[in-house]
Amino acid sequence: MHHPQLDEASSLASGAMELAFQPSARANGYSQNLDLVLFGRWNERLSKHSHADVREFAYTLASRDYEARVGMTRSFWGVTEGAHLVDIINQEDWLEDVDGEDKLGQPMLSLAWTADWGIWRAYLLPYFRERQFPDRALWPIPFAIAEEEARFESEREQQHLDYAFRWKHYFGGLDVALSWFQGTGREPRLLPCARRGSGRPGTQDQANCDLEEAFAGEEPSAMEELLLELGSGAGLMPSREEQEEAAVQAALADIVLVPHYDQIGQFGLELQWIQGAWAWKFEGRRRQQRSNVRHAAAAGFEYTRSQPFNWPVDFGYVLEYLYDERGGRGGEIAPLNNDLLIAWRALFSDVAGTQFLAGVLQDLDDRGRIYSLEASRRLGDAASIGLELRIYSDLPADDPLGFLADTDRIRLLLSYYL
């Protein structure tokens, strides 16, 4: 399906200049500290991507065996490179990138206890933050996402009290972590609905996600059928095929995608075994959602070769297999359901801290693949330059990421530190 408005939006995204800032501060005291991390970005062409966030604003009180933290903060779980399957505390900031690396601040109270048998941590999460989706110039899906129509399984909606627990310990070179989360899932399902105010049945006050009701039309009478046939046959009105095509296009124009946030229960397992230059990794989860149980896993290794041939550089080789049982069903976004990640990392021992990370993500069900490159180095004492490249190749139309088939991205970053 061709969408001229998406072509126009894509041209607006090309060559756009952005300015970003991330000031941070820390106040230390005896066994306590206060952390503040702010973030903001301005985009000259895409107003939606001009946004700001409080990444962290948290007070921490710690002793030898205990730690309490309250406020807005970030907490990362996981060990694998290709997918962060168990990482669920914070909402992803998709206005920055859809790779899951950028996170919004999460209001929380966390309590930690360090014992001989590991670190135990409990989380109370009193407020949920919805996901914001990229502008269609960067994420050219065929239907608009109506974020303002977001729906929740819980009657308390964003005020639902979520909670989580995590235990982490090590046994020689083996690191183990177990986690449990109960609450509002961070990944919404995207439901096709008739947009609010479209004139369709049930759209007066909200989007109608009962498409059968919203697009049910009255059957024409026998006399109306006869008049339509006579009119189209005499060339006085469009043909029956043209009328049906016009009706279909009008219906598609009235469809939006509505985010729906389910209540989920998730058990997570993380394993990392370090043996010399090898790091073997596993990350898996068992998630219960809408009376269904789905599993996902990522497993692989990273091998590091330090300064071969006396070169001042360390090379890392990454291989991971990614599996997700959901497979993109039921409106859930699960693109990495049977994929292989092959990546190469280079860390130079120079004053500028030069580093490269290149990889390819191959879909094992078809020919689709994603190429990526990240590179950075410092410029003097107060600046750095970075490059991000992502190329989508041979993505089929029925792939969960098929809409990105013609959307390659290159980004040049110049950072200055005050």
Side-chain angles (χ1 to χ4, degrees):
M1 186 185 306
H2 184 64
H3 291 268
Q5 68 273 26
L6 295 185
D7 296 339
E8 180 181 356
S10 298
S11 65
L12 290 176
S14 300
M17 179 180 292
E18 295 182 326
L19 295 177
F21 63 91
Q22 184 169 291
S24 62
R26 164 172 282 196
N28 291 310
Y30 178 73
S31 299
Q32 57 187 328
N33 56 66
L34 182 66
D35 293 291
L36 174 65
V37 179
L38 304 177
F39 177 81
R41 182 177 297 279
W42 169 81
N43 186 295
E44 66 171 334
R45 298 183 182 179
L46 302 178
S47 60
K48 185 176 183 180
H49 287 258
S50 298
H51 63 291
D53 182 48
V54 179
R55 298 301 204 212
E56 296 186 19
F57 184 40
Y59 169 75
T60 303
L61 178 64
S63 66
R64 188 181 67 176
D65 299 328
Y66 299 93
E67 178 190 274
R69 179 176 299 172
V70 62
M72 187 86 76
T73 188
R74 293 172 292 183
S75 182
F76 175 78
W77 301 350
V79 294
T80 56
E81 296 285 340
H84 307 310
L85 299 176
V86 303
D87 191 33
I88 196 170
I89 294 295
N90 295 82
Q91 178 61 272
E92 296 179 7
D93 186 352
W94 275 26
L95 295 184
E96 284 300 295
D97 206 329
V98 297
D99 60 2
E101 300 292 338
D102 300 283
K103 302 286 185 176
L104 299 176
Q106 168 65 45
M108 71 171 71
L109 168 65
S110 68
L111 303 173
W113 172 46
T114 302
D116 293 337
W117 276 89
I119 301 175
W120 305 77
R121 188 178 292 273
Y123 301 81
L124 288 177
L125 313 171
Y127 184 79
F128 172 76
R129 302 191 67 184
E130 299 177 31
R131 178 172 296 181
Q132 292 183 281
F133 292 87
D135 192 284
R136 293 172 75 191
L138 300 177
W139 215 57
I141 58 176
F143 302 108
I145 298 178
E147 298 175 23
E148 70 284 357
E149 298 279 353
R151 299 177 183 183
F152 298 82
E153 180 179 344
S154 170
E155 294 182 354
R156 294 184 58 83
E157 298 186 346
Q158 291 177 289
Q159 281 73 40
H160 184 274
L161 181 62
D162 304 337
Y163 61 88
F165 302 95
R166 188 169 186 252
W167 168 77
K168 183 178 182 181
H169 195 44
Y170 64 91
F171 302 90
L174 177 64
D175 292 334
V176 181
L178 299 174
S179 58
W180 173 258
F181 172 88
Q182 184 69 47
T184 305
R186 273 45 182 165
E187 303 174 54
R189 291 184 292 123
L190 297 178
L191 307 180
C193 308
R195 62 179 174 84
R196 181 202 298 250
S198 63
R200 306 283 180 178
T203 62
Q204 292 81 4
D205 301 318
Q206 62 178 2
N208 187 358
C209 296
D210 184 347
L211 296 184
E212 186 174 344
E213 174 193 3
F215 292 98
E218 297 182 0
E219 292 293 331
S221 65
M223 179 58 70
E224 290 172 331
E225 285 278 7
L226 178 59
L227 292 175
L228 288 173
E229 289 290 344
L230 292 174
S232 60
L236 300 176
M237 60 180 61
S239 67
R240 176 57 61 89
E241 292 75 14
E242 292 172 332
Q243 295 175 40
E244 291 176 352
E245 176 63 21
V248 168
Q249 293 301 322
L252 291 175
D254 286 338
I255 290 180
V256 295
L257 300 178
V258 172
H260 188 283
Y261 296 92
D262 297 316
Q263 290 293 295
I264 69 170
Q266 175 178 301
F267 170 76
L269 170 63
E270 304 159 58
L271 300 172
Q272 181 169 254
W273 183 36
I274 307 295
Q275 179 115 14
W278 295 84
W280 298 89
K281 304 180 181 184
F282 174 85
E283 193 171 319
R285 74 180 182 212
R286 179 186 186 273
R287 177 179 293 180
Q288 183 171 355
Q289 181 175 358
R290 294 189 299 150
S291 302
N292 297 318
V293 175
R294 304 293 188 206
H295 299 84
F301 66 83
E302 179 170 358
Y303 172 74
T304 302
R305 190 176 183 189
S306 181
Q307 299 188 354
F309 311 110
N310 292 321
W311 294 346
V313 58
D314 294 339
F315 293 113
Y317 306 90
V318 179
L319 179 68
E320 289 181 357
Y321 172 69
L322 314 174
Y323 171 76
D324 194 326
E325 191 177 13
R326 295 175 301 168
R329 292 172 289 184
E332 299 173 77
I333 302 175
L336 306 181
N337 51 65
N338 185 27
D339 297 75
L340 188 67
L341 171 68
I342 303 173
W344 174 75
R345 191 195 317 270
L347 301 176
F348 289 80
S349 301
D350 58 354
V351 176
T354 306
Q355 53 185 315
F356 293 89
L357 176 61
V360 58
L361 189 65
Q362 174 67 57
D363 191 327
L364 299 181
D365 292 325
D366 50 54
R367 297 180 303 167
R369 64 187 63 88
I370 302 174
Y371 300 97
S372 65
L373 171 66
E374 298 178 10
S376 66
R377 65 174 292 149
R378 290 192 298 273
L379 300 176
D381 296 329
S384 67
I385 189 170
L387 176 70
E388 296 178 0
L389 174 66
R390 192 169 297 151
I391 299 174
Y392 301 91
S393 174
D394 295 326
L395 296 180
D398 59 351
D399 189 277
L401 295 179
F403 60 88
L404 294 173
D406 299 318
T407 312
D408 300 333
R409 177 183 181 187
I410 184 169
R411 193 178 191 184
L412 183 64
L413 307 170
L414 181 63
S415 303
Y416 185 77
Y417 306 96
L418 300 176

